[in-house]
């Protein structure tokens, strides 16, 4: 026997290389492809000529991981094996096959080659299998399992699986929840642990029968809820076949029918008493066939027509009713029979009215076989409803008339408010230059005392005129609920002293003696500084006005145990008649016509004062022993939580001169000339304009610190001027206007004005507002900066 011919190792390697079903890629130490076998060309969809010299990094965008992300070339198994010197195995990768125009999935093993005595690989062989079909099959199986589990978990029915011994192998959440349990509590336990104890014998017999019979079955059983109550379930069960087709257990689909069982039991009880109810009820019960003939009626229905139930059977409505009465009843019956839908109707039998509910009767096939009528006497209710409808119609008419009257009143109110606003504007405008001139004359050092007293008299009367205008507007604001307070901590003693100082000239003119007794230990209140000052001012001016010339006024404060402070003003003047005392705080009341003739005024000060006190959470009382015996006014205000009095941070308007550039825009010549003169005396560099176009032209060539502008200008609104100056130059502004209603303040604030002063302008108030704007660097809200009423002297 001859020895076998020697095998050429190279030829054998080449044969294996070309015959292998696995793809083989041979790479050098840099990862460049040296050769590939035919299987690799087929799996990757590229020839050796297309791949030679490439590395995994060159085509890394063609490779993805199983989660869909790019597989970086440096993490390719071949590159990892070259870098670490260790094999990289079982790496799954998706690779784009350009010939198939789809992605194929491969599992890769990369084996590094080391030369003897060297620790770093010189080459690497990468072997991979095409697992596309296998992977897809695995995904299909997983998807099928997911669908199966999703169906089981999302179905509204309970799913319960048992093995042949009756032990639970699976329950879904719905089944477990039906019994008040979790799936984990039930798996591994016998189904009979959850059967209602009384039903266990029948359940055991059913189970033995099911094991012998592999046909589907349906049954109803009670099961035990965790809280001890029975749960009725309808069960559809089927055997579960194993791989050999033989049953390995049972699958049950469960529906909770506890409510249905309860209803059936209730129905049984109802059916037991229905004959008694039918005979004794006052409601009419009638059953008709599809020809609308009576097949049964209760005694109440028969008595209505002076018949017995037996006499009614077989009759139609036309047999015992007149045609007009029967026609709508027949039509209603036919509607229910033909539509198969129940309906409720109102029907009359003679003088009586009935609410009739008509329900179709159906046979075992579900077809309409007649109808049942249940009628309830609603004669009294129908009469009440008609009366109610008539009353509602009358009420609706009255409401319509009231709404028309309200609309008319509101229109009249709006017209009145508009008239007052326009009137105040027209009255204020000429007062501004007069008031400013009077202020200038009072402070003119060259004026003799007699003429200075005359200037003071002019100033006081102008301020009084403006005060009357402001009182009218305040009354309008209060009546419309539009007056708002800027609440902060206020030292009431400081405010009292300020007002006393401001009224010093009026007190001296009437030769009055003012005694002050500010005895309250705590005198900090929370209020609106301007409005608190207005309260004090009104009461003190009232005492000055009605006090006895040469008499005494007492101003005092005292603490109250209930956390309040009392402010009291007492005079020894004309007093108040007892009959007038109750109405002294009403608008336009002054204690009688004689008082009005003697002292003048509108009688609004006390009415406004009471409203302001109430808005601060306080009370005001008036007391007098009668005519000629003086009057006492007591205001009680709640103390602030922190009794530290608020201190005014603003400097006196007569302090150091202001060094600022002012653009004054006013179309009223006298007002413009006087304000420019007075501002100049305060150290301001004033440029004036009488219109918007002129003001914009002046602003283009100079830098200003503040603009003081009238709202009503001949060529455009001062609001538009302010918007342009703020946008172009960031200029801050003070609005001047004869209008001082809330909507006027809101409009000026929206346009960019940081303060809104109401004419006639008090020059001290204007200077103080300028110092505040230019000193703090922060915008002053238009509403809080408004001097309204501007004639109330400012602290």
């Amino acid at each position: 026997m001859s020895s076998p011919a020697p095998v050429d190792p190279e030829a054998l390697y080449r044969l294996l290389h070309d015959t292998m079903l696995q793809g083989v890629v041979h790479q050098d130490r840099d990862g460049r492809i040296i050769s590939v076998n035919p299987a690799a060309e087929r799996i990757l969809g590229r020839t050796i000529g297309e791949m030679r010299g490439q590395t995994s990094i060159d085509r890394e965008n063609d490779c993805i991981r199983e989660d869909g992300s790019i597989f970086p070339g440096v993490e390719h198994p071949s590159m990892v094996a070259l870098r670490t010197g260790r094999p990289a195995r079982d790496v799954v990768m998706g690779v784009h096959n350009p010939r198939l125009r789809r992605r194929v999935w491969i599992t890769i093993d990369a084996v590094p080659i080391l030369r003897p005595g060297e620790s770093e690989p010189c080459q690497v062989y990468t072997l991979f299998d095409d697992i596309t079909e296998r992977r897809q099959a695995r995904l299909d199986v997983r998807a099928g399992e997911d669908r199966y589990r999703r169906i089981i978990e999302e179905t509204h029915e309970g799913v319960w699986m048992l093995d042949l011994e009756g032990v639970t192998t699976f329950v879904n959440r719905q089944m477990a929840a039906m019994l008040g349990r979790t799936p984990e509590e039930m798996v591994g336990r016998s189904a009979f642990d959850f059967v209602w104890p009384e039903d266990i014998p029948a359940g055991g017999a059913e189970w033995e029968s099911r094991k012998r019979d592999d046909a589907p079955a349906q049954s109803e059983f009670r099961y035990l809820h965790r809280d001890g109550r029975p749960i009725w379930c309808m069960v559809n069960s089927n055997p579960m076949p194993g791989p050999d087709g033989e049953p390995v257990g049972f699958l049950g689909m469960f529906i909770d029918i506890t409510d249905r069982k309860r209803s059936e039991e209730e129905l049984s009880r109802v059916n037991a008493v229905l004959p008694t109810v039918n005979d004794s009820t006052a409601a009419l019960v009638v059953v008709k066939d599809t020809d609308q003939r009576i097949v049964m009626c209760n005694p109440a229905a028969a008595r209505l027509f002076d018949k017995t139930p037996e006499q009614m059977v077989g009759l139609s409505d036309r047999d015992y009713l007149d045609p007009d009465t029967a026609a709508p009843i027949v039509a209603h019956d036919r509607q229910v029979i033909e539509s198969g839908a129940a309906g409720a109707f109102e029907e009359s039998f003679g003088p009586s009215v009935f609410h009739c509910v008509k329900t179709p009767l159906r046979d075992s096939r579900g077809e309409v076989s007649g109808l049942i009528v249940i009628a309830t006497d609603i004669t009294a209710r129908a009469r009440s409803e008609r009366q109610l409808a008539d009353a509602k119609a009358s009420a609706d008419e009255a409401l319509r008339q009231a709404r028309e009257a309200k609309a008319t009143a509101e229109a009249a109110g709006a017209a009145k408010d508009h008239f007052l606003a326009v009137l105040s504007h027209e009255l204020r405008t000429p007062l501004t230059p007069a008031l400013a001139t009077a202020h200038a004359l009072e402070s003119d050092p060259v004026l003799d005392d007699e003429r200075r007293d005359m200037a003071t008299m002019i100033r006081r009367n102008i301020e009084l005129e403006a005060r009357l205008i402001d009182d009218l507007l305040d009354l309008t604001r209060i009546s419309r609920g539009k007056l708002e307070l800027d609440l902060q901590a206020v030292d009431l003693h400081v405010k009292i002293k300020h007002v006393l100082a401001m009224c010093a000239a009026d007190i001296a003119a009437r030769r009055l003696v003012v005694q002050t007794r500010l005895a309250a230990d705590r005198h900090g209140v929370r209020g609106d500084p301007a409005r608190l000052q207005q309260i004090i001012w009104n009461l003190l001016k009232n005492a000055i006005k009605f006090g006895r010339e040469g008499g005494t006024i007492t101003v005092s404060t005292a603490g109250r145990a209930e956390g309040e402070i009392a402010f009291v003003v007492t005079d020894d003047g004309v007093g108040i008649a007892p009959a007038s005392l109750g109405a002294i705080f009403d608008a336009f009341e002054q204690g009688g016509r004689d008082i009005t003739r003697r002292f003048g005024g509108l009688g609004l000060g006390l009415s406004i004062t009471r409203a302001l006190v109430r808005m601060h959470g306080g009370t005001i009382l008036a007391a007098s022993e009668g005519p000629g015996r003086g009057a006492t006014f007591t205001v009680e205000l709640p103390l602030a939580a922190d009794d530290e009095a608020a201190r005014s941070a603003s400097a006196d308007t007569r302090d150091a001169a202001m060094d600022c550039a002012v653009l004054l825009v006013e179309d009223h010549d006298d007002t413009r000339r006087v304000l420019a003169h007075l501002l100049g005396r305060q150290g301001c560099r004033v440029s004036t304009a009488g219109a918007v176009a002129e003001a914009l032209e002046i602003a283009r060539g100079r830098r200003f610190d503040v603009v003081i502008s009238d709202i009503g200008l001949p060529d455009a609104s001062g609001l538009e001027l302010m918007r342009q100056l703020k946008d172009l130059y960031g200029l801050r502004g003070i609005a001047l206007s004869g209008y001082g209603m809330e909507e006027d303040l809101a409009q000026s604030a929206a346009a960019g004005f940081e303060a809104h002063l109401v004419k006639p302008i008090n020059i001290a108030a204007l200077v103080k507002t300028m110092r505040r704007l230019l000193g703090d660097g922060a915008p002053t809200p238009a509403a809080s900066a408004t001097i309204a009423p501007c004639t109330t002297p400012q602290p």
Side-chain angles (χ1 to χ4, degrees), residues 500-564:
L500 286 170
M502 289 183 285
C503 295
D506 294 329
I507 292 170
R510 300 207 67 216
R511 297 182 293 107
L512 296 168
V513 176
V514 178
Q515 298 177 346
T516 57
R517 299 169 184 166
L518 306 183
D521 293 332
R522 298 175 59 195
H523 36 88
V525 299
R526 189 160 183 79
D528 184 309
R531 294 303 179 180
L532 286 174
Q533 181 170 294
Q534 188 175 353
I535 292 169
I536 301 168
W537 167 271
N538 283 345
L539 294 180
L540 189 57
K541 291 289 284 187
N542 188 76
I544 294 170
K545 181 177 181 180
F546 295 107
R548 178 174 57 84
E549 186 165 358
T552 302
I553 296 174
T554 302
V555 178
S556 63
T557 64
R560 292 288 190 261
E562 53 272 20
E564 294 183 334

Side-chain angles (χ1 to χ4, degrees), residues 592-771:
R593 293 184 179 178
D594 180 60
I595 297 296
T596 303
R597 283 195 300 268
R598 287 174 58 194
F599 295 95
L602 298 177
L604 295 178
L606 291 179
S607 176
I608 293 170
T609 298
R610 180 177 63 176
L612 292 176
V613 169
R614 288 177 174 176
M615 290 177 70
H616 281 82
T619 59
I620 182 170
L621 295 174
S624 175
E625 296 182 2
R629 305 186 69 178
T632 298
F633 289 87
T634 303
V635 174
E636 293 186 344
L637 296 170
L639 289 167
D642 180 358
D643 64 349
E644 181 180 350
R647 303 292 182 180
S648 175
S650 58
D652 191 282
T653 55
R654 291 168 297 176
D655 287 345
M658 292 189 297
D659 180 17
C660 63
V662 178
L663 175 58
L664 175 64
V665 188
E666 169 63 66
D667 64 325
H668 191 265
D669 293 339
D670 292 341
T671 300
R672 185 174 66 251
R673 184 170 56 256
V674 171
L675 287 180
H677 172 70
L678 294 177
L679 289 173
R681 289 173 58 176
Q682 294 290 330
C684 301
R685 301 183 302 281
V686 184
S687 299
T688 62
V692 170
E694 183 183 359
L696 290 173
E697 183 64 29
I698 293 172
R700 244 190 304 272
R702 306 179 199 173
R703 180 187 174 280
F704 291 97
D705 297 300
V706 65
V707 58
I708 302 172
S709 176
D710 190 11
I711 298 298
L713 295 169
D715 56 343
S717 169
L719 302 176
E720 179 57 33
L721 172 64
M722 185 67 245
R723 291 190 190 95
Q724 294 192 49
L725 293 177
K726 194 171 187 68
D727 290 344
L728 293 172
Y729 311 112
L731 198 55
R732 309 180 76 173
I734 300 172
L736 307 181
S737 176
Y739 294 100
M741 304 297 280
E742 280 67 23
E743 52 267 32
D744 304 315
L745 307 186
Q747 288 177 359
S748 65
F753 283 109
E754 298 181 40
H756 182 117
L757 302 184
V758 181
K759 295 179 179 180
I761 303 303
N762 181 314
I763 188 63
L766 175 58
V767 171
K768 177 182 176 182
T769 303
M770 291 173 61
R771 289 184 184 277

Side-chain angles (χ1 to χ4, degrees), residues 217-295:
Q218 186 179 88
S219 57
E220 295 180 359
F221 278 100
R222 286 179 296 179
Y223 290 84
L224 181 63
H225 193 276
R226 177 191 288 276
D227 61 13
R229 58 189 170 90
I231 300 294
W232 273 100
C233 292
M234 184 174 69
V235 186
N236 285 322
S237 62
N238 283 278
M240 295 188 300
D244 57 358
E246 291 297 318
V248 295
F250 292 90
L251 167 67
M253 304 295 290
F254 287 69
I255 298 175
D256 186 344
I257 59 170
T258 304
D259 291 340
R260 193 196 79 190
K261 282 290 186 178
R262 191 178 297 116
S263 298
E264 290 174 353
E265 293 172 1
E266 186 68 23
L267 182 60
S268 297
R269 288 194 293 271
V270 171
N271 287 336
V273 300
L274 187 58
T276 302
V277 174
N278 188 48
D279 292 341
S280 61
T281 182
L284 313 186
V285 181
V286 179
V287 179
K288 301 179 181 180
D289 60 19
T290 54
D291 293 327
Q292 297 175 252
R293 293 189 175 277
I294 296 173
V295 296

